[in-house]
Amino acid sequence: MVIFQGYSAECRELSVCTRAFRTSSAMAKDRNFDDDEVKVRALLTKMISQLGFSCFIPKEGNKKKSDHNANSEHNKAWLLAESGGCGGAELTGADPQSVHSSFRFSLCSQVELESMSISSSTSATVLMVNLDNGLNESRAKELKWRRIQSLERSISPVASCLVRFSYGEILAATCNFSKGRVLGRGALSFVFRGRVGLRSTVAIKKLDKEDKESSKAFCRELMIASSLHNPNIVPLVGYCIDPEKGLFLVYKYVSGGSLERHLHDTKKGVKRNSTVPWSVRYKVALGIAQAINYLHNGTERCVVHRDIKPSNILLSSKKIPKLCDFGLATWTSAPSVPFLCKTVKGTFGYLAPEYFQHGKVSDKTDVYAFGVVLLELLTGRKPIEARRPAGEENLVIWAKPLLQKGKGGIGELLDPGIKCTLRNTSQIMQMIQAAAACVSSEESRRPGIREISSILRGEEEPLYISRKKSSYSGIIDCYNPQQQTKSEMNSHLALAMLGVSEFEDDDHLYHR
């Protein structure tokens, strides 16, 4: 008996060898048996050397295997090649010199193979090729547990500060993940409203367990979100790790809904009934500016959110804005110290030019996105609207010439539902100036969030303006990538790469 465990390429080799066997059988009638024997032995030698066959005589004791090995082998498929009779019957009357002259091929399972009665005295030769090239079930489970153990070690420094929920508690809190409990969804997750205990309402983020990156994303978000403590940031309450059911993050529930729903929502084709008051819009701008400033300057390590947009800004019952969803957030060594990421992630319309063109990430990435949010608060428009007239589809491109007009552009910029009064004119102008500074296409001319906060609050001579007044007098830049020549774009790329350190931002989260 000869056994080989391999793949399709080796099966093709076996087929070639078999045809050679049959050819040798036909030639045996006219030629000397000695020539046939030499050829057959040469072919078998080739199979042994190239395919790694091993020969042995089966013993009764070898048929008895442990239950563990039997279970792991039952899923394997075998290609059976028998010489002579069926099921290992002896070759009666066969010439010993042409024992390989007649082969039968069939597929069988491990159970069927073991049930075949092949005695040790049988002169038939059996070639068995294992066609299974995948992981068996026990191996897959072992790898899954290793990943879970690695994940547990990675989050151990902060795990004691959070509540660990069981999967049963998650299931009960969401009413078995009822569709009526869905709050939103992302590219790799769903968010459900749930109730834990008698009074606590939470938002449960369920990550896609089939995604290969879910463990890394879970670890990164948990590590970052658990370290944040600010009134304008949604706090992380706890988590759940279940090897079979997946990974879950549990946040405090914010009852007022998202800013996107208040500004843009058209539920069942019907527009919102009321316009968000200017006082609320201005309050949102100040609150989110404080949240971003905390991320960039108020923590031990600078955090870049990378996905600031109205759907990730929640409003409490008292209209206090809270930044949420840290699924794309990452640490940087310090504010204004950029790095290159391998893949660009985020929402189109909010991505800074240096980010989506070159993968360059820094705190200025968030500043640009915040500028787009300010434009949405001012205009009531979405960042990208294909149904708009030509030239108005992109909010930033449409708004820049109007921002240059200062007070003269208020009438065209401002949401028609907002009235410009003596009381709010100064706040509107402050938001216009802040938005214009944020959406500067050149990262070097884009202020940090501290300076943006100063502009929003109307503080005289903000630090950035006083320092850069000569080159920043109008706040607006006239940079238009579409009008640049190829040489200018190459020059811009070279400048964009200055001072960039290249590293993968997630690697430090895992034990290597």
Side-chain angles (χ1 to χ4, degrees), residues 444-448 451 462-469 472:
S444 61
R445 297 184 63 193
R446 202 178 303 148
E451 287 74 29
L463 179 61
Y464 184 86
I465 293 180
S466 63
R467 187 174 66 244
K468 299 280 188 176
K469 183 175 285 187
Y472 188 65

Side-chain angles (χ1 to χ4, degrees), residues 374-420:
L374 292 180
L375 287 178
E376 292 183 74
L377 290 170
L378 283 165
T379 66
R381 295 189 178 201
K382 294 182 179 180
I384 304 294
E385 291 183 289
R387 295 182 180 181
R388 292 281 181 181
E392 297 185 17
E393 303 94 338
N394 186 296
L395 176 59
V396 174
I397 294 176
W398 169 78
K400 277 188 175 183
L402 301 177
L403 293 172
Q404 287 180 305
K405 295 181 180 180
K407 286 187 178 181
I410 290 180
E412 297 177 77
L413 272 173
L414 202 59
D415 188 331
I418 298 294
K419 292 183 179 181
C420 185

Side-chain angles (χ1 to χ4, degrees), residues 8 44 127 196 208 308 375 406 414 501 508:
S8 57
L44 286 176
L127 305 176
V196 179
D208 183 4
I308 294 173
L375 287 178
L414 202 59
S501 59
H508 60 277

Side-chain angles (χ1 to χ4, degrees), residues 156-302:
S156 58
V158 299
S160 60
C161 303
L162 301 169
V163 178
R164 179 159 188 168
F165 295 92
S166 67
Y167 178 71
E169 290 175 310
I170 297 293
L171 202 63
T174 59
C175 295
N176 199 19
F177 301 107
S178 168
K179 290 183 178 180
R181 295 292 185 108
V182 176
L183 295 174
R185 63 169 301 174
L188 302 174
S189 64
F190 277 89
V191 181
F192 297 84
R193 179 173 56 86
R195 184 176 293 276
V196 179
L198 298 176
R199 296 182 179 181
S200 300
T201 304
V202 294
I204 299 174
K205 184 175 183 178
K206 178 184 179 183
L207 279 74
D208 183 4
K209 66 177 181 179
E210 302 300 330
D211 186 79
K212 296 180 180 180
E213 297 296 318
S214 61
S215 294
K216 180 180 281 191
F218 173 86
C219 181
R220 181 179 60 240
E221 184 170 356
L222 184 144
M223 295 291 287
I224 291 177
S226 63
S227 67
L228 305 177
H229 307 283
N230 184 274
N232 294 114
I233 291 177
V234 178
L236 180 67
V237 176
Y239 67 97
C240 170
I241 298 177
D242 188 282
E244 300 299 328
K245 301 301 181 179
L247 306 171
F248 306 85
L249 291 165
V250 182
Y251 287 91
K252 184 177 180 180
Y253 178 70
V254 182
S255 60
S258 70
L259 177 62
E260 182 182 42
R261 182 171 68 85
H262 288 280
L263 281 178
H264 307 306
D265 192 25
T266 55
K267 193 173 183 180
K268 295 182 179 180
V270 180
K271 283 193 174 183
R272 63 188 188 278
N273 295 324
S274 60
T275 301
V276 181
W278 174 255
S279 60
V280 174
R281 300 186 191 211
Y282 187 64
K283 186 177 184 178
V284 168
L286 291 177
I288 297 304
Q290 292 175 9
I292 299 172
N293 184 49
Y294 171 76
L295 293 179
H296 294 178
N297 304 296
T299 59
E300 184 177 350
R301 300 168 67 185
C302 175

